[in-house]
């Protein structure tokens, strides 16, 4: 009987960890420098292409340009000239992920599932090897999955032509790079001497990179396997939820906390999406809304992950619904909440299974 009874020490540890998670949900982390310049760039990179295409009579293409905005959100710790040099490479990798997603969609569900798994492992290994930093590999997998879903056949027909989609993504990525370069109009930023790329992103297959890749592989395999049971078309969301937990070098405690934040933020964000989805907005107004959401995400993501997810969830769901013509808002929100629960659990399990060593 006694062997089946949890020890008082175990119960105290559980209560302490629960209190830690509760405090993290109720408080903001420390500010890490000025966030508004990057947040403004991200918001403009999201909104301007959508509004411009809608205003020029191409509302059917406008929302396809949103994925190019993700090139802006990396490298917030770099100097302006350094970011301007790195942004085109990130935009190119995002475009390659988009192209991979569209190509996999033509092959059917099995190709998409395999593509999500391969993309997860490859981009995680590269992100770890070059110490890419926040937000890690998750948006590359998200772009792959979104592209596959947007360009796949629905009811025997495609809602979006793959070639047109990739052209729009390329153009929006180029615009994002221009926004990143805007600070260079100021002489003080042009005079700054950029550090070599090899110094900023040294390529090394370190123990940390190996740990991140192994965790990502576990998330990829388990997430894809879970998607086969739940819904193969949603594999990328499950995997992204797991990668968000372990895609950055965090210990077990922080990974578990991020998993809880991911779940809580998605549930609240799903409710926000339901409120927004029933508002009949024209495409240009939807573009402005998405820009505001992207700005809010970048302002809070380093200080309160759950709150960032409150904005990330409706942004992605609005994009999916509008780009694919999905009208079933409640099922879409509930599906993503379920996927997040599964993915966060998988990510937390991967973090517990593969310890981040002190030497990493």
């Amino acid at each position: 009987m006694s062997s089946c009874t949890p020890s008082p020490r175990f119960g105290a540890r559980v209560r302490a960890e629960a209190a830690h998670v509760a405090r993290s949900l109720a408080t903001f982390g420390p500010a890490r420098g000025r966030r508004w310049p990057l947040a403004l760039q991200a918001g403009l990179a999201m909104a301007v292409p959508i509004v411009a295409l809608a205003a020029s009579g191409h509302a059917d293409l406008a929302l396809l340009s949103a994925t190019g905005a993700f090139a802006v959100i990396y490298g917030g710790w770099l100097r302006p000239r350094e970011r301007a040099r790195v942004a085109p490479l990130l935009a190119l990798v995002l475009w390659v992920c988009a192209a991979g997603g569209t190509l996999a969609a033509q092959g059917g569900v099995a190709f998409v599932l395999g593509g999500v798994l391969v993309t997860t492992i490859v981009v995680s290994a590269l992100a770890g090897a070059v110490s890419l930093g926040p937000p890690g590999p998750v948006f590359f997998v998200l772009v792959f999955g979104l592209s596959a879903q947007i360009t796949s056949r629905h009811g025997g027909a495609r809602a979006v032509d793959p070639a047109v989609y990739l052209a729009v993504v390329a153009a929006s990525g180029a615009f994002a790079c221009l926004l990143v370069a805007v600070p260079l109009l100021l002489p003080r930023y042009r005079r700054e001497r950029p550090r070599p790329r090899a110094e900023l992103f040294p390529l090394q297959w370190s123990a940390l990179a190996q740990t991140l890749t192994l965790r990502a592989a576990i998330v990829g395999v388990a997430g894809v396997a879970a998607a086969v049971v739940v819904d193969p078309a949603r594999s990328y969301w499950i995997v992204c939820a797991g990668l968000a937990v372990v895609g950055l070098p965090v210990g077990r405690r922080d990974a578990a906390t991020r998993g809880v934040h991911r779940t809580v933020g998605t549930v609240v964000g799903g409710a926000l999406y339901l409120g927004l989805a029933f508002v009949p907005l024209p495409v240009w107004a939807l573009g402005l809304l998405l820009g505001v959401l992207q700005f809010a995400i970048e302002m809070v993501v380093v200080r309160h992950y759950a709150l960032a997810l409150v904005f990330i969830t409706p942004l992605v769901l609005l994009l999916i619904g509008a780009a694919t013509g999905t009208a079933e808002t409640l099922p879409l929100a509930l599906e993503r909440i379920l996927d997040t629960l599964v993915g966060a659990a998988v990510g937390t399990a991967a973090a517990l299974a593969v310890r981040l060593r002190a030497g990493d």
Side-chain angles (χ1 to χ4, degrees), residues 49-65 281-284 286 322-323:
I50 297 175
V51 173
L53 285 169
S56 62
H58 297 88
D60 56 326
L61 303 178
L63 291 166
L64 305 181
S65 64
L281 295 175
V283 175
W284 66 266
L286 182 57

Side-chain angles (χ1 to χ4, degrees), residues 178-190:
L178 289 177
L179 282 176
V180 171
V182 164
L184 298 184
L185 294 174
L186 299 177
R188 71 174 184 272
Y189 291 133
R190 290 200 304 272

Side-chain angles (χ1 to χ4, degrees), residues 20 22 46 52 232 263 336:
H20 169 75
M46 178 69 68
T263 302
R336 292 310 183 266

